[in-house]
């Protein structure tokens, strides 16, 4: 029957793309209703929706316009993920207002650095020890690279949970800056660790790729973001209509994401840009220079809602379920997940205590830093492209960890925010205000 329908239904490429996007967003929204009943974050529902219509589930049916039939097809929608990450980073820039940084800037910086390094050190130590026990499965260069990938935290999942439940409080105030700074720290740690791993693999040491290139990436990313933010703020003042102001805001995020994909090669020096850092700086400059930035940020958030649903569905569809078929990947992945989680939790716990933060931050910040996705996958792709067979192992282990973290991380973030008091649950109202029997005496 399915083969017969495929023969009689002929879709153009444009129709196929539009149908796929529509089905992806609808699937995410429908599953979010189920997630609400189960009291799970909507992010988890979007990811599960991606898995369901992805190439390892319903996508295998290859019905035209329904779901994703291969990982290559999912890759074809990468532009939507890039733009969504750009808007997420732009929104996080709102957390770097000078007035707010004066209060928590030092704390956020110290915590971001120490918790990232704690995750790297614990994962490095555990996987290097595992390499001596299972030398045929994992090597020291792979262990070092995975240790660096352990630094990365997914800002998208964290931000979506904060938005969905309208979280407000001391933990939320410090969480988003820490997540943003975490990616900057992660880029440096990954560049240095991966440079060392490549040197061990090829028996050559290259100071330019280990130290110079990663530093230039961060400096030039922040510089590009600053220039675009200043230009954006200057042009925004020429428009008084809210719709036109929103339009130019969206235009600049699109343009900034596009410019951040440019790469420059000057001899051995390779200058690349991090779209997360560039767009974060764009948002930071705009929020500190423009007096109506808060209103514009709120309007942009509403416009991007469908884009974020599509982003997480695509992330779910990209998760390669075939990693579960390899026992060695599962073993290494479990060790990676356990020790990264310990590093994130105790790194945040110790550094928050060192900075004399509120008890709610000390207890629960580490739990909110567990989600991992786009940045980690990007790092693993870099490793896979430059380390041949061992690079594929790194990518598969990262995908395994991302699958676990993305499914359970948002739920744990929600629990931590509830425990800290940043999410206020609405009291349950009884129908017709009935009073329970054992409350009758109290009512009188």
């Amino acid at each position: 029957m399915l083969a017969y329908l495929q023969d009689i239904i002929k879709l153009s490429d444009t129709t196929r793309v539009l149908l796929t996007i529509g089905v992806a967003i609808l699937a995410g929204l429908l599953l979010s209703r189920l997630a609400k009943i189960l009291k799970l974050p909507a992010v988890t529902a979007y990811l599960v929706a991606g898995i369901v219509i992805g190439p390892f589930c319903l996508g295998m049916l290859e019905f035209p316009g329904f779901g994703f039939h291969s990982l290559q097809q999912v890759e074809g929608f990468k532009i939507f993920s890039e733009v969504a990450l750009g808007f997420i980073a732009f929104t996080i820039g709102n957390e770097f207002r000078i007035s707010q940084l004066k209060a928590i800037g030092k704390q956020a910086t110290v915590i971001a650095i120490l918790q990232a390094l704690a995750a790297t050190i614990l994962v490095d130590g555990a996987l290097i020890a595992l390499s001596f026990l299972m030398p045929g499965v994992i090597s020291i260069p792979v262990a070092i690279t995975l240790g660096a990938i352990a630094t990365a935290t997914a800002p998208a999942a964290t931000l979506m949970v904060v938005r969905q439940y309208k979280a407000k409080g001391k933990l939320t105030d410090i969480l988003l800056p820490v997540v943003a700074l975490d990616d900057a720290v992660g880029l440096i740690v990954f560049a240095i660790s991966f440079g060392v791993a490549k040197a061990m693999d090829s028996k050559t040491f290259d100071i330019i790729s280990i130290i110079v290139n990663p530093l230039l990436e961060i400096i030039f990313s922040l510089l590009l973001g600053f220039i675009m933010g200043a230009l954006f703020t200057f042009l925004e003042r020429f428009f008084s209509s809210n719709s036109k102001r929103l339009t130019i805001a969206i235009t600049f995020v699109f343009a900034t994401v596009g410019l951040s994909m440019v790469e420059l090669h000057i001899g051995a020096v390779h200058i690349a840009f991090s779209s997360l850092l560039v767009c974060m700086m764009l948002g930071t400059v705009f929020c500190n220079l423009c007096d109506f930035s808060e209103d514009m940020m709120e309007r942009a958030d509403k416009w991007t809602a469908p884009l974020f649903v599509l982003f997480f569905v695509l992330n779910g569809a990209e998760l390669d379920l075939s990693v579960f078929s390899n026992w060695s990947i599962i073993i290494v992945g479990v060790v990676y997940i356990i020790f990264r989680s310990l590093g994130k939790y105790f790194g945040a716990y110790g550094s928050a205590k060192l900075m004399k933060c509120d008890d709610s931050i000390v207890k629960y910040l580490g739990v909110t830093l567990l989600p991992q996705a786009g940045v980690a996958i990007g790092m693993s792709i870099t490793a896979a492209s430059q380390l041949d067979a061992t690079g594929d192992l790194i990518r598969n282990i990262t995908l395994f960890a991302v699958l676990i973290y993305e499914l359970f991380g948002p739920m744990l973030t929600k629990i931590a925010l509830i425990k800290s008091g940043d999410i206020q649950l609405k009291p349950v109202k009884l129908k017709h205000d009935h009073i329970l029997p054992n409350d009758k005496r109290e009512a009188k």
Side-chain angles (χ1 to χ4, degrees):
M1 180 65 180
L2 183 61
Y4 175 72
L5 288 174
Q6 288 175 338
D7 287 337
I8 63 172
I9 299 176
K10 301 297 181 184
L11 303 178
S12 67
D13 290 340
T14 303
T15 303
R16 196 183 298 270
V17 168
L18 291 175
L19 275 177
T20 302
I21 292 172
V23 168
I25 295 174
L26 182 60
L29 291 174
L30 291 176
L31 272 185
S32 71
R33 296 301 85 198
L34 177 61
K36 187 175 183 180
I37 295 171
L38 298 175
K39 297 183 179 179
L40 294 173
V43 177
T44 304
Y46 302 150
L47 291 163
V48 172
I51 293 173
V52 170
I53 65 171
F56 297 95
C57 290
L58 297 181
M60 296 175 67
L61 299 175
E62 296 190 2
F63 190 79
F66 182 85
F68 303 96
H69 312 316
S70 66
L71 290 174
Q72 289 73 24
Q73 186 187 4
V74 180
E75 186 70 17
F77 289 86
K78 186 179 179 181
I79 183 65
F80 292 100
S81 296
E82 293 289 348
V83 172
L85 278 174
F87 275 103
I88 288 164
F90 176 67
T91 302
I92 290 177
N94 191 39
E95 304 301 319
F96 288 94
R97 293 180 184 272
I98 292 175
S99 58
Q100 190 173 354
L101 288 178
K102 286 179 181 177
I104 62 168
K106 184 178 178 182
Q107 291 178 332
T109 302
V110 171
I111 292 171
I113 294 172
L114 293 184
Q115 58 83 26
L117 293 179
T120 294
I121 291 168
L122 282 185
V123 172
D124 274 347
L127 293 183
I128 288 173
L130 189 64
S131 71
F132 287 105
L133 296 173
M134 304 170 65
V137 174
I138 182 172
S139 64
I140 292 179
V142 170
I144 293 173
T145 304
L146 286 170
I149 293 173
T151 59
T153 299
T158 304
L159 180 64
M160 287 294 284
V161 173
V162 169
R163 276 185 180 175
Q164 181 184 353
Y165 296 102
K166 296 179 175 61
K168 289 182 180 179
K170 293 179 180 179
L171 177 57
T172 304
D173 287 343
I174 202 168
L175 169 60
L176 295 178
V178 167
V179 169
L181 291 168
D182 177 90
D183 285 328
V185 176
L187 288 172
I188 297 173
V189 173
F190 176 75
I192 294 172
S193 296
F194 187 53
V196 171
K198 285 195 296 181
M200 292 178 67
D201 204 41
S202 62
K203 307 291 190 295
T204 58
F205 182 80
D206 180 8
I207 194 169
I208 291 178
S209 62
I210 295 175
I211 298 176
V212 176
N213 287 342
L215 288 178
L216 288 177
E217 179 174 343
I218 291 171
I219 292 170
F220 277 87
S221 293
L222 295 177
L223 180 61
L224 176 60
F226 180 85
I227 293 170
M228 293 298 288
L231 182 60
F232 171 33
T233 305
F234 174 74
L235 293 177
E236 191 84 14
R237 298 181 186 278
F238 289 97
F239 302 91
S240 56
S241 164
N242 285 330
S243 60
K244 288 180 180 177
R245 284 176 173 175
L246 176 60
T247 301
I248 197 169
I250 294 167
T251 299
F252 262 83
V253 174
F254 271 84
T256 303
V257 171
L259 287 173
S260 67
M261 294 179 179
V262 175
E263 295 185 5
L264 304 174
H265 296 270
I266 306 171
V269 177
H270 174 213
I271 301 174
F273 299 95
S274 164
S275 62
L276 281 173
L277 289 181
V278 177
C279 291
M280 186 182 71
M281 192 58 156
L282 172 74
T284 300
V285 172
F286 173 63
C287 288
N288 282 288
L289 295 183
C290 183
D291 52 6
F292 51 82
S293 60
E294 284 196 36
D295 179 59
M296 221 23 50
M297 283 291 189
E298 287 182 12
R299 292 176 182 276
D301 286 347
K302 293 175 183 177
W303 182 88
T304 54
L307 181 63
F308 289 161
V309 175
L310 179 60
F311 169 74
F312 285 105
V313 173
L314 287 170
N315 270 261
E318 197 175 20
L319 296 176
D320 189 346
L321 300 185
S322 65
V323 295
F324 288 109
S325 63
N326 190 326
W327 66 269
S328 60
I329 289 175
I330 294 175
I331 291 174
V332 178
V334 168
V335 172
Y336 172 89
I337 289 169
I338 291 172
F339 283 89
R340 177 182 178 271
S341 301
L342 290 173
K344 286 287 181 181
Y345 181 79
F346 287 108
Y349 182 95
S351 55
K353 210 167 184 62
L354 177 68
M355 298 308 295
K356 298 179 181 178
C357 294
D358 187 81
D359 283 346
S360 63
I361 296 173
V362 174
K363 289 179 183 177
Y364 302 113
L365 179 60
V367 178
T368 65
L369 298 174
L370 295 182
Q372 193 173 42
V375 177
I377 292 173
M379 291 175 177
S380 71
I381 290 172
T382 300
S385 65
Q386 298 183 38
L387 287 181
D388 301 325
T390 54
D392 290 335
L393 177 63
I394 291 169
R395 175 165 168 74
N396 286 331
I397 291 169
T398 304
L399 286 172
F400 173 81
V402 164
L403 176 62
I404 303 301
Y405 277 126
E406 284 295 87
L407 290 178
F408 296 100
M411 182 172 58
L412 293 173
T413 299
K414 174 192 171 185
I415 292 171
L417 290 170
I418 290 173
K419 293 282 187 183
S420 70
D422 282 27
I423 292 178
Q424 299 293 331
L425 296 178
K426 295 179 181 178
V428 179
K429 291 183 179 180
L430 298 174
K431 281 189 176 181
H432 310 300
D433 294 321
H434 283 163
I435 300 173
L436 296 175
N438 55 356
D439 288 333
K440 285 181 179 178
R441 188 180 300 174
E442 223 173 90
K444 289 182 180 180

